[in-house]
Amino acid sequence: MSRTVNLAFRQALLEQRSFWRSAEYALFTFALPLALLLLIGSTTATGYLPGTHVEGQMIFVPSIIAFGVIVAAYVNLGSKVAVLRHDGVLKRIRTTPLPPGAYIGGLLASTVATVILIAAATGLIGWLAFGAAPRAGEVPALAGGLVLGTVCFAVLGLAISSVITSAESAGPVAYASFLPIAIISGMFDPTFSGLPDWLSRLVDMFPVKALAEVLQNAYAVRPFPAWNLANLGLWTAAGAVFAVWRFRWHAS
């Protein structure tokens, strides 16, 4: 067990070095959420939300943190595993002494490290630029939401990687499977409303809005997100079952 953990740690370090050496991955995974935070936050997240005493930035900043978590844990991990599979890298790894569990563990550990950096940078810039900070005593709840969200979307990333049919389509498929939901759920505009009831209920079923609302609860006083926590848990379980069923080390 200790050898596997040590190998997973070494693999995580290797994955982190590879990540930061790739301008494309670093730009779209780390810099994109920060750019959206500054560009959109300065125009649509100022002032109070209509009919409330809640400041828009207290909803917008945690929403962008959630977006960063999804990009790192779902899009980046899912598309990377799909590319590695279709390029034959995963198949070759199975022929090396590196245990499969250590390799997957290294990927997940690297993903966690990236999420921590993105969340810390987004939260810090949100505080410096907009004065948005978690409520006193809610930092543990924010950390717990980040952990649950990272686990959920990392599992879903492994699941989506198993249905991507080519390396070229990995990124587009990953983004297309969550970005429309993020847009219509109001992740980029805290004043967004007016969805038909059926569409609003449909959006509520997905983990994208659930994660955003869990993190928003640490910034602004909102009803306890019991359904959102259950939502993330259910999607984690469903994603894990699907990933175990469909995951392959080589392209079919």
Side-chain angles (χ1 to χ4, degrees):
M1 177 62 72
S2 60
R3 178 176 178 273
T4 300
V5 172
N6 182 54
L7 290 173
F9 178 75
R10 290 172 178 263
Q11 184 62 33
L13 293 178
L14 179 63
E15 293 294 334
Q16 276 293 293
R17 286 198 292 268
S18 175
F19 172 80
W20 293 109
R21 287 173 180 170
S22 172
E24 295 83 2
Y25 277 119
L27 176 64
F28 287 101
T29 305
F30 186 80
L32 180 59
L34 301 181
L36 291 175
L37 175 69
L38 293 173
L39 292 175
I40 301 178
S42 60
T43 57
T44 64
T46 56
Y48 292 98
L49 298 182
T52 73
H53 296 289
V54 178
E55 295 177 297
Q57 59 265 31
M58 302 302 285
I59 300 299
F60 178 70
V61 171
S63 294
I64 296 300
I65 294 176
F67 175 76
V69 170
I70 297 171
V71 170
Y74 177 73
V75 176
N76 185 50
L77 179 62
S79 59
K80 178 168 186 167
V81 171
V83 169
L84 292 176
R85 177 184 296 112
H86 288 281
D87 286 349
V89 176
L90 293 185
K91 183 178 179 180
R92 292 195 294 272
I93 287 174
R94 289 299 302 271
T95 66
T96 70
L98 181 66
Y103 182 75
I104 296 298
L107 285 176
L108 294 176
S110 176
T111 298
V112 170
T114 303
V115 167
I116 291 173
L117 289 173
I118 292 174
T122 306
L124 178 61
I125 293 177
W127 173 57
L128 294 175
F130 306 111
R135 292 182 289 133
E138 293 298 322
V139 173
L142 178 64
L146 287 171
V147 170
L148 182 56
T150 301
V151 171
C152 177
F153 282 97
V155 169
L156 292 175
L158 292 176
I160 195 68
S161 74
S162 65
V163 301
I164 294 175
T165 57
S166 68
E168 293 77 13
S169 65
V173 168
Y175 269 106
S177 61
F178 97 92
L179 197 53
I181 300 172
I183 293 172
I184 64 176
S185 68
M187 180 172 279
F188 305 117
D189 183 2
T191 65
F192 183 83
S193 61
L195 287 178
D197 288 341
W198 68 268
L199 185 55
S200 179
R201 289 193 293 270
L202 181 63
V203 170
D204 287 342
M205 294 176 61
F206 290 94
V208 175
K209 187 176 181 180
L211 175 58
E213 291 187 347
V214 167
L215 301 187
Q216 290 165 9
N217 188 66
Y219 278 74
V221 178
R222 310 195 71 176
F224 182 76
W227 158 245
N228 293 322
L229 295 173
N231 182 305
L232 292 172
L234 290 171
W235 275 97
T236 301
V241 171
F242 188 85
V244 170
W245 172 52
R246 288 278 304 180
F247 189 86
R248 299 292 184 272
W249 289 87
H250 55 84
S252 56

